[in-house]
Amino acid sequence: MGSTQPEFNNPATTTLLELVKARRTYYGLKAESPISDEAIERIVQDAVLHVPSSFNTQTSRVVLLLKEEHQKLWDIAINIMESLVAAGKVPKEMFENHTKPKLNAFRAGYGTVLFFVDYDSLAAIKEQFAIYADKFDPFALESNAMSQYLVWAALCSEGFGANLQHYSPLIDEQVQKTWNIPASWKLDAQLVFGTPTSEPSEKTFQPIEDRYKVFGK
């Protein structure tokens, strides 16, 4: 299955699929950028504008943190985890040997993209299409995930390494206060990026035959 190489009408399709294959998780990062900050902004802005959402609800919200602002985020995470250790909620040995080195590795990067969902903005569409009301929140999360993936792949294409983190709800309150984030924006994920200092781990795949079916061919 999939042994032959098909021909595409548009060479950009091959390029797109190669970018999909090249996107990986990088944990070893340093605070350097292969492109300008303006180019990073363009990637993030285009994702916000052009990633689809159900009924064009446009529920994704994004905050880009660079340099010192990026470091501030992970200082917040470290301080919160230290308070949990002091309160006896997290074992000190686990924090010192595992959690803190991991957080410091994120801090060593160049930037973080914060991805939010504004669920409150869905009130009107839920009322208008009441039969689907319970579906709109998951739809919004799916749209946000597409934004995360697009930004991740585009940053990797430009020479960055990146990894996706989920430190909500631990950091939510401090993030909202520090950057004056609207209360209706709910933090979903944090994409950490920087210049790679190490290679990603080997990626393994389950058999495609167990994950894919085609009918009518």
Side-chain angles (χ1 to χ4, degrees), residues 30-90:
K30 59 182 177 180
E32 296 179 5
S33 174
I35 58 176
S36 69
D37 291 347
E38 289 74 20
I40 299 171
E41 285 189 86
R42 176 64 181 273
I43 289 171
V44 176
Q45 289 173 356
D46 278 1
V48 172
L49 287 173
H50 298 293
V51 165
S53 58
S54 65
F55 291 79
N56 198 30
T57 45
Q58 302 180 47
T59 46
S60 290
R61 309 287 184 264
V62 180
V63 172
L64 174 61
L65 303 176
L66 300 172
K67 304 165 189 169
E68 292 83 2
E69 295 298 309
H70 152 81
Q71 294 173 357
K72 192 184 299 183
L73 172 70
W74 295 106
D75 286 339
I76 288 171
I78 291 170
N79 291 336
I80 289 173
M81 292 303 301
E82 286 177 340
S83 69
L84 294 177
V85 172
K89 296 181 179 180
V90 173

Side-chain angles (χ1 to χ4, degrees), residues 27-28 45 50-51 56 62 75 89 91-92 114 130 135 151 172 179 198 214:
Y27 290 111
Q45 289 173 356
H50 298 293
V51 165
N56 198 30
V62 180
D75 286 339
K89 296 181 179 180
K92 184 175 181 179
L114 302 178
K135 301 295 184 183
V151 173
D172 291 13
W179 290 283
S198 61
V214 58

Side-chain angles (χ1 to χ4, degrees), residues 51-181:
V51 165
S53 58
S54 65
F55 291 79
N56 198 30
T57 45
Q58 302 180 47
T59 46
S60 290
R61 309 287 184 264
V62 180
V63 172
L64 174 61
L65 303 176
L66 300 172
K67 304 165 189 169
E68 292 83 2
E69 295 298 309
H70 152 81
Q71 294 173 357
K72 192 184 299 183
L73 172 70
W74 295 106
D75 286 339
I76 288 171
I78 291 170
N79 291 336
I80 289 173
M81 292 303 301
E82 286 177 340
S83 69
L84 294 177
V85 172
K89 296 181 179 180
V90 173
K92 184 175 181 179
E93 182 179 357
M94 177 184 294
F95 173 72
E96 293 292 342
N97 295 332
H98 300 284
T99 307
K100 188 174 183 180
K102 183 169 61 174
L103 293 172
N104 278 324
F106 302 152
R107 189 184 187 279
Y110 187 79
T112 301
V113 188
L114 302 178
F115 292 91
F116 302 79
V117 178
D118 188 349
Y119 294 106
D120 290 1
S121 67
L122 291 168
I125 198 78
K126 287 180 178 179
E127 184 176 352
Q128 183 179 357
F129 297 97
I131 193 172
Y132 297 116
D134 63 335
K135 301 295 184 183
F136 283 109
D137 283 5
F139 289 163
L141 199 58
E142 290 168 3
S143 177
N144 197 258
M146 285 190 278
S147 295
Q148 295 167 28
Y149 186 82
L150 175 58
V151 173
W152 192 350
L155 289 175
C156 286
S157 175
E158 289 299 311
F160 282 111
N163 59 79
L164 191 67
Q165 300 302 317
H166 301 86
Y167 277 84
S168 295
L170 288 177
I171 64 174
D172 291 13
E173 183 178 354
Q174 287 300 314
V175 166
Q176 183 180 351
K177 290 179 179 178
T178 302
W179 290 283
N180 194 28
I181 304 299

Side-chain angles (χ1 to χ4, degrees), residues 3-52:
S3 58
T4 60
Q5 294 297 323
E7 293 184 5
F8 299 115
N9 287 333
N10 187 345
T13 304
T14 299
T15 301
L16 174 61
L17 294 176
E18 289 302 318
L19 292 177
V20 168
K21 296 174 186 177
R23 185 225 49 84
R24 298 293 305 280
T25 294
Y26 289 83
Y27 290 111
L29 305 172
K30 59 182 177 180
E32 296 179 5
S33 174
I35 58 176
S36 69
D37 291 347
E38 289 74 20
I40 299 171
E41 285 189 86
R42 176 64 181 273
I43 289 171
V44 176
Q45 289 173 356
D46 278 1
V48 172
L49 287 173
H50 298 293
V51 165

